[in-house]
C-alpha cells in the first residue's frame, strides 16, 4: 500500500486517468476540427493515442511530486491548441471546444455508472468501475471551474460582458496557480466535494 492506495487502486487510477485524459483532449481537438480549426488536427491531437497528449512535466513529473508532497496526485495533459480566428461562431465556438473536454468525462462517467448499475458486477470489477466514475466526475467538475485557463473559464468568457472578459484575460497568467492554491488550501474543497458527491449519487442512483 502506497499513501493509502493499494497497488490495484494505483493501477486502476493510472489506466483510468490515461483513458479520461486522452478522450478529454481528443474531444477538444475533434470539436475544434468540426468548427473549422485544423490547428490541433495538424498536430495529431485528434487521436485516442495517449502519447499524443502527454506532457513530460504536467502528466509525468507533477503527479509524482504532488503525490509525495500532498499525498494526492495532480496532473494535466498537454493543452490542445486552437486558433480562435479560424473557429466558427467566434467566442461561442471556442466555448464549445472548451466544453467538449469536460462533457466527454461526464459521458464516460455516465457510461461506467450505467454498467455498474445494470451489469451486476462485484468485487474488483465493481471497484474499478467506481474509481473510473469518481475520477471522471472529478475531472468534469474541476475543469468546469470558471477560472482561466480551465475549460469553464472559456465557457464563461463567451457569455461575460467586456469588463469581465478583460479581467479574465489578465487572470490568465496566474489562474492555474490560483486554482491549485485554492484547492490545496481548501478554498473551495467543500463546494467541489459536494458537487462531486451529488453527481455521483445521481449517476449511481443512490
Amino acid at each position: 500500500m502506497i499513501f493509502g492506495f493499494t497497488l490495484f487502486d494505483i493501477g486502476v487510477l493510472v489506466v483510468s486517468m490515461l483513458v479520461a485524459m486522452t478522450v478529454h483532449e481528443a474531444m477538444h481537438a475533434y470539436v475544434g476540427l468540426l468548427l473549422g480549426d485544423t490547428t490541433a488536427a495538424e498536430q495529431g491531437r485528434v487521436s485516442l493515442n495517449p502519447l499524443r497528449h502527454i506532457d513530460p512535466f504536467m502528466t509525468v513529473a507533477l503527479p509524482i511530486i504532488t503525490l509525495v508532497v500532498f499525498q494526492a496526485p495532480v496532473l494535466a495533459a498537454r493543452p490542445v491548441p486552437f486558433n480562435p480566428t479560424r473557429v466558427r461562431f467566434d467566442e461561442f465556438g471556442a466555448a464549445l471546444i472548451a466544453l467538449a473536454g469536460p462533457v466527454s468525462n461526464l459521458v464516460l462517467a455516465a457510461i461506467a455508472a450505467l454498467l455498474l448499475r445494470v451489469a451486476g458486477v462485484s468485487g474488483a470489477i465493481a471497484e474499478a468501475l467506481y474509481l473510473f466514475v469518481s475520477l471522471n466526475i472529478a475531472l468534469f467538475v474541476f475543469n468546469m471551474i470558471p477560472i482561466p485557463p480551465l475549460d469553464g473559464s472559456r465557457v464563461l468568457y463567451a457569455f461575460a460582458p467586456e469588463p469581465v472578459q478583460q479581467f479574465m484575460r489578465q487572470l490568465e497568467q496566474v489562474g492555474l496557480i490560483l486554482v491549485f492554491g485554492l484547492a490545496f488550501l481548501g478554498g473551495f474543497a467543500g463546494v467541489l466535494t459536494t458537487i462531486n458527491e451529488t453527481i455521483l449519487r445521481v449517476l449511481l442512483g443512490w
Side-chain angles (χ1 to χ4, degrees):
M1 184 172 291
I2 304 173
F3 298 115
F5 294 99
T6 66
L7 291 177
F8 174 79
D9 291 337
I10 293 173
V12 170
L13 285 171
V14 169
V15 172
S16 297
M17 181 59 74
L18 284 175
V19 172
M21 175 194 72
T22 299
V23 173
H24 180 112
E25 301 302 331
M27 286 304 299
H28 280 317
Y30 178 65
V31 172
L33 182 62
L34 289 179
L35 292 175
D37 181 17
T38 61
T39 304
E42 290 167 356
Q43 296 185 18
R45 301 301 298 276
V46 185
S47 171
L48 293 179
N49 178 358
L51 296 178
R52 297 282 187 177
H53 308 289
I54 289 176
D55 177 86
F57 176 75
M58 295 293 289
T59 316
V60 180
L62 182 62
I64 296 174
I65 294 170
T66 54
L67 182 62
V68 172
V69 176
F70 301 106
Q71 297 189 13
V74 173
L75 73 160
R78 185 158 55 95
V80 170
F82 82 101
N83 185 340
T85 64
R86 300 170 67 181
V87 176
R88 287 195 291 271
F89 312 125
D90 301 320
E91 294 167 0
F92 298 102
L96 289 174
I97 294 174
L99 195 60
V103 168
S104 71
N105 292 126
L106 187 60
V107 171
L108 287 175
I111 293 172
L114 182 62
L115 288 174
L116 195 55
R117 294 176 63 178
V118 304
V121 295
S122 60
I125 296 177
E127 183 180 348
L129 284 173
Y130 180 82
L131 286 171
F132 185 78
V133 172
S134 300
L135 174 65
N136 275 280
I137 291 174
L139 287 173
F140 167 75
V141 172
F142 180 76
N143 278 284
M144 288 305 295
I145 296 172
I147 299 178
L150 298 178
D151 296 323
S153 69
R154 181 60 64 178
V155 177
L156 174 62
Y157 188 89
F159 300 95
E162 176 57 31
V164 176
Q165 290 182 345
Q166 184 176 354
F167 173 74
M168 293 176 71
R169 285 193 292 268
Q170 295 173 345
L171 196 61
E172 187 86 29
Q173 301 301 319
V174 297
L176 198 57
I177 296 174
L178 176 62
V179 170
F180 285 138
L182 288 172
F184 288 132
L185 294 174
F188 44 47
V191 175
L192 297 184
T193 298
T194 299
I195 296 173
N196 278 319
E197 291 178 348
T198 300
I199 297 175
L200 185 62
R201 285 197 299 269
V202 170
L203 292 185
L204 294 178
W206 290 355

